[in-house]
Structure formats: C-alpha cells, structure tokens
Amino acid sequence: MVLPVSGPDIFPHVRLVLGMVLSLSIARLLSGAARFIQHPNQRVYPVHLGWALFMLLYLIHFWWWEYRLAALPEWTFAIFFFVVSYSILLYLLCTLLFPDDLREYSGYEDYFFSRRKWFFGLLALTFVFDIVDTWIKGEKHFSALTIEYPIRNAIFFLACIVAASSQDRRFHAGLIVVVLVYQASFILRLFNTFTPT
C-alpha cells in the first residue's frame, strides 16, 4: 500500500528536479552568450540575442512563480510529469538558441531563421503549458491574474505562429522588442511580490 504524501512534503523533491533542468537551461544560455566573447568573429544577430534574453527572463520568472506549487494540497504523478515536461520544454528552447555547432551556417541570423519553425513552435506550446500550469495552482490564483493573462497568452501564441512562418526581418525585430518590454512589465505588475495563499 502506498502512503499518501502531502503537497508541502513532496514539493522539495519536485523543486529539486525542476532546479536541475532549469540549471541546465540557464547554463546553456550563459555558455552560448560566452561564445561571443570567446569567438569575437562570430556574426551576432540582435534578434537572436533578444530571444536569448527573453528565455533567461522566462526561466527566472518560471522558477519564481513555480513556488506556488508548494501550496498544492496533494500531488499526482500526472501533475509531476506535466511540470517536469514544462521545464524540459524550456530547456529545448535554450538548446535551439545555441546549437553545439554553428559551422553549417554563416552566423546566428542564418541559424535563427533556419530553425525558427522549431523555436517558435515550441515557444507557442509553452504558452499553452503556462495556462495549464496556472490552472493547476487553483482558481484563486488564475483569477488573480485578471483577464489580461489569458489574452496575453493567446496573443503570444498567435505571434509565435506568425513568427514561425515569417522571414521578415523587421517583423522579427519589432516582435522581440515588444515581447521583452511587455514581459518585463507583466512580471513587475503581477508577479513582483510573492504573497503566500
């Protein structure tokens, strides 16, 4: 017979697994950024760097908001599997931004556009995962984010679908600027302070 385990008791175990995957993701971004110092002749693409910055911000934000999972009264394997899958999805996005080998491409701009369908497809999926993740934390938490939250996720999802099919450099440059400014604003307005429920 399996003994039931309360949410607060199991959360440190879950947090450990999430921490490992997120650490790998952040390490991937930082080591990728360090390549620009190690290899100054590599062609830098500002839009690509913008998405790397976005992912770093997303990872830090993810770690901050996942603390709400400590309040879950009970855990199931399905919830555990979902949360770990979400963190793995974020890791895959980081690996897509900084490949192991860039020799097949003329630079990061060429690489970014050759992999944009994968990157933006997976990024669109994260906004679906985010809705489910927020729903898992409870109706009170979901409603506290106001109507802005589902609208934001829907717009980001649609923007990713468009970005996956577009090669317009101006669109991509404008998109990353808007996304970074909005995401910073969103975090500061809705997630700046953690208040226990």
Side-chain angles (χ1 to χ4, degrees), residues 65-116:
W65 83 59
E66 286 305 274
Y67 192 80
R68 290 252 180 224
L69 291 172
L72 287 183
E74 68 175 27
W75 278 78
T76 62
F77 182 76
I79 293 173
F80 174 72
F81 183 81
F82 172 81
V83 172
V84 171
S85 298
Y86 191 178
S87 65
I88 290 170
L89 181 58
L90 296 175
Y91 174 77
L92 289 174
L93 284 163
C94 294
T95 61
L96 280 171
L97 283 171
F98 290 105
D100 293 326
D101 191 350
L102 201 64
R103 283 179 291 187
E104 298 174 43
Y105 307 94
S106 61
Y108 278 98
E109 181 176 2
D110 181 34
Y111 172 77
F112 180 77
F113 280 98
S114 73
R115 293 292 174 264
R116 73 185 187 283

Side-chain angles (χ1 to χ4, degrees), residues 41-165:
N41 293 330
Q42 282 188 343
R43 297 166 82 175
V44 176
Y45 181 45
V47 171
H48 167 262
L49 282 181
W51 284 110
L53 179 60
F54 172 82
M55 285 309 303
L56 181 61
L57 183 62
Y58 198 103
L59 290 167
I60 294 168
H61 186 209
F62 178 83
W63 191 236
W64 175 249
W65 83 59
E66 286 305 274
Y67 192 80
R68 290 252 180 224
L69 291 172
L72 287 183
E74 68 175 27
W75 278 78
T76 62
F77 182 76
I79 293 173
F80 174 72
F81 183 81
F82 172 81
V83 172
V84 171
S85 298
Y86 191 178
S87 65
I88 290 170
L89 181 58
L90 296 175
Y91 174 77
L92 289 174
L93 284 163
C94 294
T95 61
L96 280 171
L97 283 171
F98 290 105
D100 293 326
D101 191 350
L102 201 64
R103 283 179 291 187
E104 298 174 43
Y105 307 94
S106 61
Y108 278 98
E109 181 176 2
D110 181 34
Y111 172 77
F112 180 77
F113 280 98
S114 73
R115 293 292 174 264
R116 73 185 187 283
K117 290 181 181 178
W118 275 101
F119 178 76
F120 288 109
L122 290 177
L123 188 59
L125 189 57
T126 65
F127 295 112
V128 176
F129 269 59
D130 187 55
I131 291 282
V132 176
D133 182 75
T134 303
W135 175 77
I136 287 171
K137 294 180 181 96
E139 186 181 336
K140 184 179 176 184
H141 175 66
F142 198 103
S143 61
L145 298 177
T146 74
I147 191 67
E148 178 185 358
Y149 171 71
I151 292 172
R152 164 215 181 244
N153 278 36
I155 290 172
F156 274 22
F157 179 86
L158 292 173
C160 286
I161 300 304
V162 173
S165 60

